[in-house]
Amino acid sequence: MTANLLDYDLEGLVSLCEGLGEKRFRAVQLFRWIHQRGVSDFSLMTDLAKSLRQKLQASAVVQPLTVISEHLSADGTVKWLFDVGDGNAVEAVFIPEDDRATLCVSSQAGCAIGCRFCSTGHQGFSRNLKTGEIISQLWHAEHQLRHRLKQSDRIITNVVMMGMGEPLQNYDALLPALRVMLDDHGYGLSRRRVTVSTSGVVPMMDRLAADCPVALAVSLHAPIDSLRDQLVPINRKYPIAELMSACRRYLESAPRDFITFEYCMLEGVNDQAEHAKQLIALLAEYAPPTGVWCKVNLIPFNPFPESGLRRSTSAQVTAFAKLLNAAGIVTTIRKTRGDDIDAACGQLAGEVKDRTHAQRRMQQLRTVAIHPARALIKPVKEQV
Ligand code: SAH
Ligand code: SF4
């Protein structure tokens, strides 16, 4: 069977190379060619012995996902849609900011959790992505942007697993992908700059803490079980008390000393003063004796027709944030980015999944103009 080398972390590649009778340092060289230089053609890997290149040509490929379309927003956000077969697509979104450049990566085609306000959740679950399909999104984005901007230095400084899917329900593929992101021979991202976002798969939060602690975001969205049961159905299996205890445990090995709680603001559903008070009480109940242990990120809901939900007014979001801040909870309001290209969770890929229109839609997407780089990329500051 032909191996796709994007499926391997460095240790995996070392074993594969050893199986071909090659030493560890050869695997390191190969890994660097693939991830640091974005090269997929073995014949261009000039410092590898010819015999190894021939062996690789016979038994392996570097096969990234195929890009269906690319959309560039006026604010510099870039969104790629990748074909994952069977009429499914996943997306990755690049978000340049003054002091960082973040890539939002997908972990599954669809999602089995089925949150009320999420368009990916409404699509249902198609399949888990493989490690190579997860890392492909970063490989493509990083090297495409470098090429286009004629830059040899690293462009993407942060990765957030906040695209389509629940990363902790695809743990076996996620783990090697995270290792490639963190590896100094790979993308060399610090643990603090790789964030896994979860709806609260409690046992897997503990495993992540043990295997590969990275920054953690938890999609809370409601301060009490009766409401969270409705919005985030996995709450029926792992209710808020269990989730909060898991967060506290996670902090013991986390690279950052806080957890980010995400809270999607839904008009009249979870955005009232009483919800803010309940949230304050909840976070106080689980707070350690001293210090800031969590931050709250309020996300303005990105509406889609089937949800039957509305975005809270900005006055309501601000009022909610004020209540939390007044209680000493560090609260931010997420800026919406790339609105003109639907760069929010699951939006565009959701339309592709609609099989009745898939062909027509795919055709339209292929004809979307691809602009030369207008991305507003600023010089990247040193990592902290
Ligand atoms: N499955 C993971 C990660 C992917 S979703 C999780 O749920 O955390 C990434 C974030 O986008 C989550 O916080 C999710 O709640 C939020 N989100 C999903 N649909 C949204 C929408 N329509 N508007 C705003 N935020 C949304
Ligand atoms: Fe899945 Fe996250 Fe969407 Fe919920 S919000 S359905 S967990 S992708």
Side-chain angles (χ1 to χ4, degrees), residues 155-218:
I155 289 181
I156 293 165
T157 62
N158 294 55
V159 170
V160 292
M161 297 302 305
M162 290 188 187
M164 302 170 71
E166 169 48 58
L168 295 188
Q169 284 200 330
N170 185 15
Y171 191 77
D172 291 346
L174 175 73
L175 192 58
L178 293 178
R179 289 186 170 138
V180 175
M181 294 172 195
L182 300 176
D183 203 306
D184 283 341
H185 299 295
Y187 297 87
L189 297 173
S190 90
R191 290 180 185 278
R192 299 151 59 89
R193 288 174 175 262
V194 174
T195 302
V196 167
S197 176
T198 181
S199 56
V201 190
V202 164
M204 292 298 158
M205 290 165 66
D206 289 324
R207 277 191 64 188
L208 185 66
D211 294 339
C212 188
V214 291
L216 187 70
V218 171

Short mmCIF file of all heavy atoms in Angstrom, two decimals, residues 155-218:
data_model
loop_
_atom_site.label_atom_id
_atom_site.label_comp_id
_atom_site.label_asym_id
_atom_site.label_seq_id
_atom_site.Cartn_x
_atom_site.Cartn_y
_atom_site.Cartn_z
N ILE A 155 4.64 31.98 8.20
CA ILE A 155 3.53 32.94 8.12
C ILE A 155 2.51 32.66 9.21
O ILE A 155 2.11 33.54 9.95
CB ILE A 155 2.89 32.90 6.73
CG1 ILE A 155 3.88 33.54 5.74
CG2 ILE A 155 1.54 33.61 6.71
CD1 ILE A 155 3.44 33.62 4.34
N ILE A 156 2.08 31.41 9.32
CA ILE A 156 1.04 31.08 10.30
C ILE A 156 1.68 30.92 11.68
O ILE A 156 2.60 30.12 11.85
CB ILE A 156 0.29 29.80 9.87
CG1 ILE A 156 -0.49 30.12 8.59
CG2 ILE A 156 -0.65 29.31 10.98
CD1 ILE A 156 -0.99 28.91 7.85
N THR A 157 1.21 31.71 12.64
CA THR A 157 1.80 31.67 13.99
C THR A 157 0.94 30.92 14.99
O THR A 157 1.42 30.54 16.05
CB THR A 157 2.00 33.10 14.55
OG1 THR A 157 0.69 33.71 14.65
CG2 THR A 157 2.87 33.94 13.63
N ASN A 158 -0.35 30.75 14.68
CA ASN A 158 -1.28 30.10 15.60
C ASN A 158 -2.21 29.17 14.83
O ASN A 158 -2.61 29.50 13.71
CB ASN A 158 -2.18 31.14 16.29
CG ASN A 158 -1.41 32.09 17.20
OD1 ASN A 158 -0.47 32.73 16.78
ND2 ASN A 158 -1.83 32.17 18.44
N VAL A 159 -2.55 28.05 15.45
CA VAL A 159 -3.56 27.17 14.86
C VAL A 159 -4.68 26.99 15.88
O VAL A 159 -4.40 26.77 17.07
CB VAL A 159 -2.98 25.80 14.47
CG1 VAL A 159 -4.08 24.81 14.09
CG2 VAL A 159 -2.00 25.93 13.30
N VAL A 160 -5.92 27.11 15.43
CA VAL A 160 -7.05 26.79 16.31
C VAL A 160 -7.87 25.68 15.65
O VAL A 160 -8.21 25.77 14.48
CB VAL A 160 -7.94 28.04 16.59
CG1 VAL A 160 -7.19 29.06 17.44
CG2 VAL A 160 -8.42 28.72 15.32
N MET A 161 -8.15 24.64 16.42
CA MET A 161 -8.98 23.54 15.89
C MET A 161 -10.44 23.94 16.11
O MET A 161 -11.13 23.41 16.96
CB MET A 161 -8.66 22.22 16.62
CG MET A 161 -7.24 21.70 16.43
SD MET A 161 -6.74 21.39 14.71
CE MET A 161 -8.01 20.28 14.14
N MET A 162 -10.85 24.93 15.32
CA MET A 162 -12.20 25.49 15.48
C MET A 162 -12.95 25.50 14.16
O MET A 162 -13.92 26.24 14.00
CB MET A 162 -12.12 26.93 16.00
CG MET A 162 -11.65 27.03 17.42
SD MET A 162 -11.80 28.72 18.00
CE MET A 162 -11.00 28.60 19.59
N GLY A 163 -12.49 24.70 13.21
CA GLY A 163 -13.22 24.59 11.95
C GLY A 163 -14.35 23.58 12.13
O GLY A 163 -15.00 23.53 13.18
N MET A 164 -14.57 22.77 11.12
CA MET A 164 -15.68 21.81 11.20
C MET A 164 -15.27 20.60 12.04
O MET A 164 -14.16 20.11 11.94
CB MET A 164 -16.04 21.35 9.79
CG MET A 164 -16.42 22.52 8.90
SD MET A 164 -16.56 21.98 7.21
CE MET A 164 -18.06 21.03 7.33
N GLY A 165 -16.22 20.12 12.83
CA GLY A 165 -16.01 18.87 13.55
C GLY A 165 -15.59 19.04 15.00
O GLY A 165 -15.21 20.13 15.44
N GLU A 166 -15.71 17.95 15.75
CA GLU A 166 -15.31 17.92 17.16
C GLU A 166 -13.96 17.20 17.23
O GLU A 166 -13.89 15.98 17.10
CB GLU A 166 -16.39 17.18 17.97
CG GLU A 166 -16.00 16.85 19.40
CD GLU A 166 -15.42 18.02 20.18
OE1 GLU A 166 -16.08 19.05 20.32
OE2 GLU A 166 -14.26 17.90 20.64
N PRO A 167 -12.87 17.97 17.43
CA PRO A 167 -11.54 17.35 17.37
C PRO A 167 -11.37 16.20 18.35
O PRO A 167 -10.70 15.22 18.04
CB PRO A 167 -10.58 18.51 17.69
CG PRO A 167 -11.41 19.67 18.08
CD PRO A 167 -12.81 19.42 17.64
N LEU A 168 -11.99 16.31 19.53
CA LEU A 168 -11.78 15.24 20.52
C LEU A 168 -12.63 14.00 20.23
O LEU A 168 -12.53 13.01 20.94
CB LEU A 168 -12.02 15.78 21.94
CG LEU A 168 -11.02 16.85 22.40
CD1 LEU A 168 -11.22 17.18 23.87
CD2 LEU A 168 -9.57 16.42 22.15
N GLN A 169 -13.44 14.04 19.20
CA GLN A 169 -14.08 12.79 18.74
C GLN A 169 -13.31 12.20 17.56
O GLN A 169 -13.78 11.26 16.92
CB GLN A 169 -15.55 13.03 18.39
CG GLN A 169 -16.40 13.17 19.65
CD GLN A 169 -17.88 12.94 19.42
OE1 GLN A 169 -18.40 13.21 18.34
NE2 GLN A 169 -18.57 12.46 20.44
N ASN A 170 -12.17 12.77 17.26
CA ASN A 170 -11.29 12.20 16.23
C ASN A 170 -9.87 12.21 16.78
O ASN A 170 -8.92 12.65 16.14
CB ASN A 170 -11.40 13.02 14.94
CG ASN A 170 -10.61 12.40 13.80
OD1 ASN A 170 -10.20 11.24 13.86
ND2 ASN A 170 -10.37 13.18 12.77
N TYR A 171 -9.77 11.70 17.99
CA TYR A 171 -8.54 11.86 18.77
C TYR A 171 -7.33 11.18 18.13
O TYR A 171 -6.23 11.74 18.10
CB TYR A 171 -8.78 11.30 20.18
CG TYR A 171 -7.67 11.66 21.12
CD1 TYR A 171 -7.57 12.93 21.66
CD2 TYR A 171 -6.69 10.73 21.47
CE1 TYR A 171 -6.55 13.28 22.52
CE2 TYR A 171 -5.66 11.06 22.32
CZ TYR A 171 -5.60 12.35 22.84
OH TYR A 171 -4.57 12.69 23.68
N ASP A 172 -7.54 9.97 17.61
CA ASP A 172 -6.39 9.21 17.09
C ASP A 172 -5.73 9.90 15.90
O ASP A 172 -4.54 9.79 15.70
CB ASP A 172 -6.81 7.79 16.69
CG ASP A 172 -7.17 6.97 17.92
OD1 ASP A 172 -6.84 7.41 19.04
OD2 ASP A 172 -7.79 5.90 17.76
N ALA A 173 -6.53 10.60 15.11
CA ALA A 173 -5.96 11.33 13.98
C ALA A 173 -5.45 12.70 14.42
O ALA A 173 -4.49 13.23 13.87
CB ALA A 173 -7.01 11.49 12.88
N LEU A 174 -6.12 13.27 15.42
CA LEU A 174 -5.74 14.61 15.89
C LEU A 174 -4.34 14.62 16.50
O LEU A 174 -3.54 15.51 16.23
CB LEU A 174 -6.76 15.09 16.94
CG LEU A 174 -6.44 16.41 17.62
CD1 LEU A 174 -6.66 17.58 16.67
CD2 LEU A 174 -7.28 16.60 18.89
N LEU A 175 -4.06 13.61 17.33
CA LEU A 175 -2.83 13.62 18.11
C LEU A 175 -1.57 13.73 17.25
O LEU A 175 -0.74 14.64 17.47
CB LEU A 175 -2.81 12.38 19.01
CG LEU A 175 -1.76 12.36 20.11
CD1 LEU A 175 -1.88 13.54 21.04
CD2 LEU A 175 -1.87 11.05 20.89
N PRO A 176 -1.38 12.86 16.23
CA PRO A 176 -0.19 13.04 15.39
C PRO A 176 -0.19 14.39 14.66
O PRO A 176 0.87 15.00 14.49
CB PRO A 176 -0.26 11.89 14.38
CG PRO A 176 -1.24 10.92 14.95
CD PRO A 176 -2.17 11.69 15.82
N ALA A 177 -1.37 14.88 14.30
CA ALA A 177 -1.43 16.17 13.60
C ALA A 177 -0.92 17.28 14.53
O ALA A 177 -0.15 18.15 14.12
CB ALA A 177 -2.86 16.47 13.13
N LEU A 178 -1.34 17.24 15.81
CA LEU A 178 -0.85 18.24 16.77
C LEU A 178 0.66 18.14 16.90
O LEU A 178 1.38 19.15 16.96
CB LEU A 178 -1.49 18.04 18.15
CG LEU A 178 -3.01 18.28 18.26
CD1 LEU A 178 -3.48 17.98 19.68
CD2 LEU A 178 -3.38 19.72 17.88
N ARG A 179 1.16 16.90 16.91
CA ARG A 179 2.62 16.73 17.08
C ARG A 179 3.39 17.32 15.90
O ARG A 179 4.47 17.87 16.09
CB ARG A 179 2.95 15.24 17.26
CG ARG A 179 2.46 14.76 18.62
CD ARG A 179 2.87 13.34 18.93
NE ARG A 179 2.58 13.05 20.32
CZ ARG A 179 2.06 11.92 20.77
NH1 ARG A 179 1.76 10.95 19.92
NH2 ARG A 179 1.84 11.75 22.05
N VAL A 180 2.84 17.18 14.71
CA VAL A 180 3.50 17.78 13.53
C VAL A 180 3.51 19.30 13.67
O VAL A 180 4.49 19.97 13.36
CB VAL A 180 2.80 17.35 12.22
CG1 VAL A 180 3.42 18.06 11.02
CG2 VAL A 180 2.86 15.83 12.04
N MET A 181 2.39 19.86 14.15
CA MET A 181 2.32 21.32 14.32
C MET A 181 3.37 21.81 15.31
O MET A 181 3.97 22.87 15.13
CB MET A 181 0.92 21.73 14.84
CG MET A 181 -0.20 21.48 13.85
SD MET A 181 -1.80 21.77 14.66
CE MET A 181 -2.90 20.99 13.47
N LEU A 182 3.58 21.04 16.38
CA LEU A 182 4.47 21.47 17.46
C LEU A 182 5.94 21.16 17.17
O LEU A 182 6.83 21.79 17.73
CB LEU A 182 4.09 20.76 18.77
CG LEU A 182 2.67 21.01 19.30
CD1 LEU A 182 2.42 20.15 20.55
CD2 LEU A 182 2.45 22.48 19.64
N ASP A 183 6.20 20.17 16.34
CA ASP A 183 7.56 19.68 16.12
C ASP A 183 8.47 20.78 15.56
O ASP A 183 8.11 21.47 14.61
CB ASP A 183 7.51 18.51 15.14
CG ASP A 183 8.72 17.61 15.28
OD1 ASP A 183 9.84 18.13 15.20
OD2 ASP A 183 8.53 16.40 15.46
N ASP A 184 9.66 20.91 16.17
CA ASP A 184 10.61 21.91 15.66
C ASP A 184 11.03 21.62 14.23
O ASP A 184 11.41 22.53 13.50
CB ASP A 184 11.85 21.96 16.56
CG ASP A 184 11.56 22.71 17.84
OD1 ASP A 184 10.56 23.46 17.86
OD2 ASP A 184 12.30 22.51 18.82
N HIS A 185 10.97 20.36 13.84
CA HIS A 185 11.29 20.04 12.44
C HIS A 185 10.05 20.17 11.54
O HIS A 185 10.14 20.00 10.33
CB HIS A 185 11.84 18.61 12.33
CG HIS A 185 13.11 18.41 13.10
ND1 HIS A 185 14.27 19.05 12.78
CD2 HIS A 185 13.38 17.65 14.19
CE1 HIS A 185 15.22 18.70 13.63
NE2 HIS A 185 14.70 17.85 14.50
N GLY A 186 8.90 20.40 12.17
CA GLY A 186 7.66 20.57 11.40
C GLY A 186 7.33 22.06 11.33
O GLY A 186 8.05 22.83 10.73
N TYR A 187 6.23 22.44 12.01
CA TYR A 187 5.82 23.86 11.95
C TYR A 187 6.33 24.66 13.14
O TYR A 187 6.20 25.88 13.17
CB TYR A 187 4.29 23.95 11.80
CG TYR A 187 3.87 23.31 10.51
CD1 TYR A 187 3.62 21.94 10.44
CD2 TYR A 187 3.83 24.04 9.32
CE1 TYR A 187 3.33 21.32 9.22
CE2 TYR A 187 3.54 23.43 8.12
CZ TYR A 187 3.29 22.07 8.08
OH TYR A 187 3.02 21.47 6.88
N GLY A 188 6.86 23.95 14.16
CA GLY A 188 7.51 24.63 15.28
C GLY A 188 6.63 25.60 16.06
O GLY A 188 7.10 26.58 16.60
N LEU A 189 5.33 25.30 16.13
CA LEU A 189 4.43 26.20 16.88
C LEU A 189 4.52 25.88 18.38
O LEU A 189 4.63 24.71 18.76
CB LEU A 189 2.98 26.01 16.42
CG LEU A 189 2.71 26.37 14.95
CD1 LEU A 189 1.28 25.99 14.57
CD2 LEU A 189 2.92 27.86 14.71
N SER A 190 4.45 26.91 19.21
CA SER A 190 4.51 26.63 20.65
C SER A 190 3.14 26.10 21.10
O SER A 190 2.11 26.39 20.49
CB SER A 190 4.89 27.89 21.42
OG SER A 190 3.74 28.60 21.78
N ARG A 191 3.17 25.34 22.18
CA ARG A 191 1.91 24.74 22.70
C ARG A 191 0.87 25.79 23.03
O ARG A 191 -0.32 25.52 23.02
CB ARG A 191 2.20 23.97 23.99
CG ARG A 191 2.99 22.72 23.78
CD ARG A 191 3.24 21.98 25.08
NE ARG A 191 4.12 20.86 24.79
CZ ARG A 191 3.69 19.71 24.30
NH1 ARG A 191 2.40 19.51 24.09
NH2 ARG A 191 4.54 18.75 24.01
N ARG A 192 1.35 26.96 23.38
CA ARG A 192 0.42 28.03 23.74
C ARG A 192 -0.29 28.59 22.52
O ARG A 192 -1.28 29.30 22.63
CB ARG A 192 1.19 29.16 24.43
CG ARG A 192 1.88 28.75 25.70
CD ARG A 192 3.12 29.60 25.95
NE ARG A 192 2.80 31.01 26.06
CZ ARG A 192 2.48 31.61 27.20
NH1 ARG A 192 2.43 30.92 28.31
NH2 ARG A 192 2.21 32.88 27.22
N ARG A 193 0.26 28.31 21.36
CA ARG A 193 -0.30 28.87 20.13
C ARG A 193 -1.04 27.84 19.29
O ARG A 193 -1.37 28.08 18.13
CB ARG A 193 0.83 29.51 19.32
CG ARG A 193 1.28 30.80 19.98
CD ARG A 193 2.49 31.36 19.28
NE ARG A 193 2.84 32.65 19.84
CZ ARG A 193 2.48 33.82 19.31
NH1 ARG A 193 1.77 33.86 18.22
NH2 ARG A 193 2.84 34.94 19.89
N VAL A 194 -1.26 26.67 19.87
CA VAL A 194 -2.11 25.67 19.21
C VAL A 194 -3.27 25.43 20.17
O VAL A 194 -3.06 25.06 21.33
CB VAL A 194 -1.33 24.36 18.95
CG1 VAL A 194 -2.26 23.28 18.41
CG2 VAL A 194 -0.17 24.60 17.99
N THR A 195 -4.48 25.68 19.69
CA THR A 195 -5.65 25.57 20.57
C THR A 195 -6.60 24.50 20.07
O THR A 195 -6.98 24.51 18.89
CB THR A 195 -6.42 26.92 20.62
OG1 THR A 195 -5.53 27.93 21.09
CG2 THR A 195 -7.63 26.85 21.54
N VAL A 196 -6.96 23.59 20.97
CA VAL A 196 -8.02 22.63 20.64
C VAL A 196 -9.30 23.18 21.26
O VAL A 196 -9.33 23.56 22.43
CB VAL A 196 -7.70 21.22 21.20
CG1 VAL A 196 -8.92 20.31 21.15
CG2 VAL A 196 -6.55 20.60 20.40
N SER A 197 -10.35 23.22 20.45
CA SER A 197 -11.65 23.68 20.94
C SER A 197 -12.57 22.47 21.04
O SER A 197 -12.67 21.69 20.09
CB SER A 197 -12.22 24.71 19.97
OG SER A 197 -13.52 25.10 20.37
N THR A 198 -13.23 22.32 22.17
CA THR A 198 -14.10 21.15 22.34
C THR A 198 -15.45 21.53 22.92
O THR A 198 -15.56 22.48 23.71
CB THR A 198 -13.45 20.07 23.23
OG1 THR A 198 -14.33 18.95 23.33
CG2 THR A 198 -13.15 20.59 24.64
N SER A 199 -16.45 20.74 22.53
CA SER A 199 -17.78 20.93 23.09
C SER A 199 -17.87 20.26 24.46
O SER A 199 -18.90 20.34 25.12
CB SER A 199 -18.81 20.31 22.13
OG SER A 199 -18.47 18.96 21.90
N GLY A 200 -16.79 19.55 24.86
CA GLY A 200 -16.77 18.97 26.21
C GLY A 200 -16.77 17.46 26.25
O GLY A 200 -17.57 16.85 26.98
N VAL A 201 -15.86 16.85 25.48
CA VAL A 201 -15.73 15.38 25.51
C VAL A 201 -14.79 15.06 26.67
O VAL A 201 -13.57 14.93 26.51
CB VAL A 201 -15.18 14.84 24.17
CG1 VAL A 201 -15.29 13.32 24.12
CG2 VAL A 201 -15.91 15.46 22.98
N VAL A 202 -15.37 14.97 27.86
CA VAL A 202 -14.60 14.98 29.11
C VAL A 202 -13.45 13.95 29.14
O VAL A 202 -12.30 14.32 29.44
CB VAL A 202 -15.56 14.83 30.32
CG1 VAL A 202 -14.82 14.44 31.58
CG2 VAL A 202 -16.30 16.15 30.52
N PRO A 203 -13.67 12.66 28.84
CA PRO A 203 -12.55 11.71 28.97
C PRO A 203 -11.38 12.06 28.05
O PRO A 203 -10.22 11.84 28.39
CB PRO A 203 -13.16 10.36 28.55
CG PRO A 203 -14.63 10.56 28.48
CD PRO A 203 -14.92 12.02 28.40
N MET A 204 -11.71 12.62 26.90
CA MET A 204 -10.65 12.95 25.94
C MET A 204 -9.89 14.22 26.35
O MET A 204 -8.75 14.42 25.93
CB MET A 204 -11.25 13.12 24.54
CG MET A 204 -11.76 11.83 23.99
SD MET A 204 -10.35 10.70 23.84
CE MET A 204 -11.14 9.16 23.84
N MET A 205 -10.52 15.06 27.15
CA MET A 205 -9.80 16.23 27.68
C MET A 205 -8.68 15.74 28.59
O MET A 205 -7.56 16.25 28.55
CB MET A 205 -10.76 17.15 28.45
CG MET A 205 -11.75 17.87 27.53
SD MET A 205 -13.15 18.62 28.41
CE MET A 205 -12.35 19.88 29.39
N ASP A 206 -8.97 14.71 29.38
CA ASP A 206 -7.93 14.15 30.25
C ASP A 206 -6.82 13.50 29.43
O ASP A 206 -5.65 13.62 29.75
CB ASP A 206 -8.55 13.12 31.21
CG ASP A 206 -9.42 13.80 32.27
OD1 ASP A 206 -9.05 14.91 32.70
OD2 ASP A 206 -10.47 13.24 32.63
N ARG A 207 -7.19 12.83 28.37
CA ARG A 207 -6.15 12.20 27.53
C ARG A 207 -5.28 13.23 26.85
O ARG A 207 -4.07 13.08 26.77
CB ARG A 207 -6.80 11.28 26.49
CG ARG A 207 -7.13 9.93 27.09
CD ARG A 207 -7.50 8.91 26.05
NE ARG A 207 -6.44 8.57 25.13
CZ ARG A 207 -6.61 7.81 24.05
NH1 ARG A 207 -7.80 7.32 23.78
NH2 ARG A 207 -5.60 7.54 23.25
N LEU A 208 -5.91 14.30 26.39
CA LEU A 208 -5.14 15.35 25.73
C LEU A 208 -4.14 15.97 26.72
O LEU A 208 -2.98 16.22 26.38
CB LEU A 208 -6.08 16.43 25.18
CG LEU A 208 -5.43 17.54 24.36
CD1 LEU A 208 -4.85 16.98 23.05
CD2 LEU A 208 -6.43 18.65 24.03
N ALA A 209 -4.61 16.16 27.96
CA ALA A 209 -3.72 16.72 28.99
C ALA A 209 -2.51 15.82 29.19
O ALA A 209 -1.38 16.29 29.36
CB ALA A 209 -4.49 16.89 30.30
N ALA A 210 -2.74 14.52 29.15
CA ALA A 210 -1.64 13.57 29.39
C ALA A 210 -0.73 13.43 28.17
O ALA A 210 0.49 13.35 28.29
CB ALA A 210 -2.22 12.20 29.77
N ASP A 211 -1.33 13.39 26.97
CA ASP A 211 -0.55 13.06 25.77
C ASP A 211 0.11 14.28 25.13
O ASP A 211 1.21 14.19 24.60
CB ASP A 211 -1.46 12.44 24.70
CG ASP A 211 -2.01 11.08 25.13
OD1 ASP A 211 -1.41 10.47 26.03
OD2 ASP A 211 -3.04 10.65 24.56
N CYS A 212 -0.61 15.38 25.09
CA CYS A 212 -0.12 16.51 24.30
C CYS A 212 -0.83 17.79 24.73
O CYS A 212 -1.70 18.30 24.03
CB CYS A 212 -0.40 16.21 22.82
SG CYS A 212 0.35 17.39 21.70
N PRO A 213 -0.49 18.29 25.92
CA PRO A 213 -1.22 19.47 26.40
C PRO A 213 -0.97 20.70 25.53
O PRO A 213 0.17 21.09 25.34
CB PRO A 213 -0.68 19.67 27.82
CG PRO A 213 0.62 18.95 27.85
CD PRO A 213 0.55 17.84 26.85
N VAL A 214 -2.04 21.22 24.99
CA VAL A 214 -1.99 22.47 24.21
C VAL A 214 -3.04 23.39 24.81
O VAL A 214 -3.74 23.00 25.76
CB VAL A 214 -2.29 22.20 22.70
CG1 VAL A 214 -1.15 21.43 22.04
CG2 VAL A 214 -3.62 21.48 22.51
N ALA A 215 -3.15 24.61 24.29
CA ALA A 215 -4.16 25.53 24.82
C ALA A 215 -5.56 24.93 24.58
O ALA A 215 -5.79 24.23 23.59
CB ALA A 215 -4.04 26.88 24.15
N LEU A 216 -6.47 25.19 25.51
CA LEU A 216 -7.81 24.59 25.42
C LEU A 216 -8.89 25.66 25.42
O LEU A 216 -8.86 26.59 26.22
CB LEU A 216 -8.03 23.64 26.61
CG LEU A 216 -9.31 22.80 26.56
CD1 LEU A 216 -9.23 21.73 25.46
CD2 LEU A 216 -9.57 22.12 27.90
N ALA A 217 -9.84 25.49 24.49
CA ALA A 217 -11.04 26.31 24.49
C ALA A 217 -12.22 25.37 24.68
O ALA A 217 -12.25 24.28 24.09
CB ALA A 217 -11.18 27.07 23.17
N VAL A 218 -13.15 25.76 25.51
CA VAL A 218 -14.32 24.91 25.78
C VAL A 218 -15.58 25.67 25.38
O VAL A 218 -15.78 26.82 25.79
CB VAL A 218 -14.36 24.50 27.27
CG1 VAL A 218 -15.67 23.81 27.61
CG2 VAL A 218 -13.18 23.58 27.59
#
